[in-house]
Amino acid sequence: TIKTRYVAGSQQLLRADRETVAEVAPSTADDIVRLAAAAIADCKVAVLSDYAKGVLTPGAIAGIVAAARAAGKTVIVDPKGSDFGRYRGAQLLTPNRRELAEATGLATDTHDAIVVAARHLIATLGAEAVLCTRGPEGMTLVTGTGETHHLAAAAHEVFEFPIALKQNHDVRKKDIQLRAFQHPSTVPVDPAGGVDEAVALVEDGPV
C-alpha cells in the first residue's frame, strides 16, 4: 500500500491510498503467524483487526487464533465481511451494526434486534461474547451466559486528528472493547488513560 497524505500546517486534510487487496503468499502468511505467536507469548490479549486487505488470510487467522488459545490468551477480532466463520475460536467479536447484519442475515435496527443477532452469532461460532458497536449510539455487549449491556457514548468535537492521535485512538478503542468484555459495568463513557492490558495487535489495513 502506498499512502499519500495531504497536510496543511499540522492538520492532515486527506489521505489517498493506492493498494492491492490480494492475499499475501502462503509463505508470508506463515511468517505472520510465526511473528504473532512470538509476540503473543508476552501479552494477555491477541487482537485481530481485519480490514480485508489480504494480510489476514483464513490460514493466518486460524494459525494466530490457535497459537493464542494454546497459550491461554484472550482473542478479540474486529471482523470484516460476511463470513465470520473464519474467526472461529475467538472469544470476542466486535462487529459494527452493519457487519453484524451481513454476517447473520438478521436485522440490527433496534437494541433488541442487535441482541438477537449477537446471540445467533455466539451460538453459531461458539464465541463467549459479541460487542456490537453502534456509532454515536454506543455499544451493545451480549455474552454467551445471557448478559446484555447497552453502553452509551459521549460525542466530542475533534478539530485536528494527526497520525499519532489516530494511532492512540485506535488502541484506546481496543482498550474500551477489552474492558467492556471483561468488566462491562466499569467502562466509563469517555475513558482516559492508556491500555491496561498488554495487547498483541495484528492489523490488516492502513494506519
Side-chain angles (χ1 to χ4, degrees):
T1 300
I2 300 175
K3 306 179 182 70
T4 303
R5 304 179 190 274
Y6 298 85
V7 179
S10 62
Q11 182 180 1
Q12 178 177 307
L13 302 178
L14 60 92
R15 189 186 77 197
D17 294 352
R18 286 180 289 172
E19 63 184 14
T20 174
V21 295
E23 290 188 356
V24 297
S27 59
T28 302
D30 290 342
D31 288 339
I32 292 170
V33 173
R34 176 177 53 81
L35 292 171
I40 287 168
D42 297 323
C43 299
K44 294 184 178 180
V45 180
V47 180
L48 304 184
S49 187
D50 194 350
Y51 284 80
K53 301 298 184 182
V55 174
L56 288 177
T57 64
I61 294 170
I64 294 170
V65 170
R69 295 301 298 265
K73 314 298 184 178
T74 298
V75 180
I76 300 175
V77 174
D78 189 4
K80 196 73 173 180
S82 59
D83 179 16
F84 284 11
R86 62 182 181 272
Y87 307 122
R88 190 178 302 278
Q91 288 101 321
L92 174 64
L93 300 175
T94 66
N96 61 34
R97 188 191 306 238
R98 176 182 56 79
E99 291 165 342
L100 180 59
E102 291 178 353
T104 61
L106 300 172
T108 56
D109 53 337
T110 66
H111 285 185
D112 289 343
I114 289 173
V115 171
V116 170
R119 286 176 176 164
H120 174 78
L121 195 60
I122 290 171
T124 301
L125 298 182
E128 293 182 15
V130 169
L131 182 66
C132 178
T133 56
R134 298 181 282 111
E137 296 178 17
M139 300 182 287
T140 293
L141 175 68
V142 180
T143 73
T145 59
E147 294 182 63
T148 299
H149 301 272
H150 298 293
L151 309 173
H156 56 89
E157 293 186 15
V158 177
F159 176 68
E160 294 187 10
F161 208 64
I163 298 169
L165 180 58
K166 180 190 182 299
Q167 291 173 334
N168 182 63
H169 172 270
D170 288 346
V171 172
R172 185 173 294 179
K173 183 177 75 170
K174 298 296 186 300
D175 178 36
I176 295 170
Q177 292 172 346
L178 171 62
R179 283 188 283 156
F181 173 50
Q182 293 179 326
H183 309 290
S185 62
T186 66
V187 178
V189 172
D190 188 16
V195 179
D196 54 19
E197 297 282 356
V199 175
L201 174 63
V202 181
E203 187 168 42
D204 177 17
V207 174

